[in-house]
Amino acid sequence: MVTTAMLLSLVVLALIDSTSFGTLFIPIWLLMTDRRVRVDRFLIYLVTVAGLYFGTGLLLLFGAGAFLDRYSSFLGSDGFLLGQLVLGAALMVVSQLMDTKRARARAAERAARGEGRIFAWRNRIIGDSDGGQGSIAALVGLAFTAFILELGTMLPYLAATGLIAAQGLSWGMSGLVLLGYCTVMVLPAVALLIGRLLAYRALKRPLARLDQWFVANAQSTTAWIIGIAGFLLAANAIYDLGWVG
């Protein structure tokens, strides 16, 4: 049964999810282009992200139980957990290699000049220019990348799917509630798009300053996300191996 308390809890969790790397920070960055924003391309990105979350939620709701029942012994084996530990440690090493002083200095210099491939690439895929299928493919690829980077940190989403599963709803109702969750999750980004279209002149200067900060810190932010995901994987493996009490 769908209760008011359940819906309120899901709305809160969805709004927390709306502040993630893929649902807020990348949309803000895409809207900072100095060209006219192509609404259709921006919405392609958001729909792709929401679709990936929705598909994953369906798998968790309807396929996770059978999958875990069948492969639980393998997933709990020392060999699998050691592999998970190695993967987590490798991600943490990669994050450290990405976030060096030299890399941060180069990014800050490019941001100050307003130059670099990252500016040109963004203008090409989201701005008012001829991009064709290449731009759409790039947007979809960006959405997939953001989603993959968030897999290790999507705790609010896991809590939401667990809450939906615990209600014992029908398949159709569970899917409908999950679809509503994913819609609420991208609504703040849609609101930002509307604000960008209606009040760009007033927002142009603060957006430009924020844009420079984003570009200067993009690599560091990505490194942190990869490092956090690696830490969570490694910590979970160590705990399941029984190395800590």
Side-chain angles (χ1 to χ4, degrees):
M1 178 179 179
V2 179
T3 64
T4 302
M6 170 195 170
L7 291 177
L8 288 176
S9 298
L10 290 175
V11 168
V12 171
L13 289 170
L15 291 176
I16 294 174
D17 258 335
S18 73
T19 63
S20 71
F21 181 71
T23 56
L24 182 64
F25 291 105
I26 288 182
I28 289 175
W29 179 73
L30 290 174
L31 292 174
M32 289 175 184
T33 177
D34 56 2
R35 302 183 181 184
R36 184 177 68 87
V37 173
R38 289 284 298 271
V39 175
D40 55 342
R41 295 180 186 175
F42 185 82
L43 293 179
I44 285 172
Y45 170 83
L46 286 184
V47 169
T48 303
V49 170
L52 289 170
Y53 269 88
F54 181 65
T56 302
L58 291 179
L59 288 176
L60 291 172
L61 287 175
F62 306 132
F67 178 84
L68 291 175
D69 289 341
R70 185 171 183 178
Y71 297 104
S72 58
S73 59
F74 170 71
L75 296 175
S77 66
D78 287 351
F80 179 84
L81 293 173
L82 287 172
Q84 179 180 322
L85 175 59
V86 170
L87 176 61
L91 289 176
M92 287 190 287
V93 171
V94 169
S95 71
Q96 292 299 312
L97 294 176
M98 288 177 60
D99 192 23
T100 63
K101 290 183 178 180
R102 180 176 297 181
R104 289 196 297 268
R106 287 198 301 265
E109 183 180 351
R110 289 194 299 267
R113 294 198 308 263
E115 299 175 354
R117 288 177 296 178
I118 194 168
F119 282 97
W121 178 77
R122 180 189 56 193
N123 285 336
R124 187 169 66 250
I125 67 171
I126 199 67
D128 186 15
S129 62
D130 294 330
Q133 295 301 317
S135 295
I136 295 175
L139 280 170
V140 172
L142 179 62
F144 268 90
T145 302
F147 176 75
I148 291 171
L149 289 175
E150 291 177 350
L151 282 177
T153 56
M154 54 194 309
L155 296 180
Y157 193 65
L158 293 176
T161 54
L163 183 59
I164 295 172
Q167 301 304 307
L169 305 174
S170 66
W171 284 34
M173 182 58 69
S174 295
L176 185 62
V177 172
L178 184 64
L179 180 61
Y181 181 97
C182 294
T183 301
V184 173
M185 187 176 65
V186 297
L187 283 181
V190 174
L192 289 172
L193 170 64
I194 295 173
R196 168 66 167 76
L197 295 174
L198 297 179
Y200 178 61
R201 289 187 178 180
L203 297 174
K204 185 175 181 179
R205 184 170 296 178
L207 282 177
R209 289 198 295 266
L210 189 58
D211 191 21
Q212 289 185 354
W213 184 91
F214 264 94
V215 174
N217 292 277
Q219 186 160 327
S220 294
T221 302
T222 302
W224 270 98
I225 293 172
I226 293 174
I228 291 171
F231 172 79
L232 292 174
L233 284 173
N236 180 260
I238 290 172
Y239 179 81
D240 287 345
L241 284 165
W243 294 354
V244 294

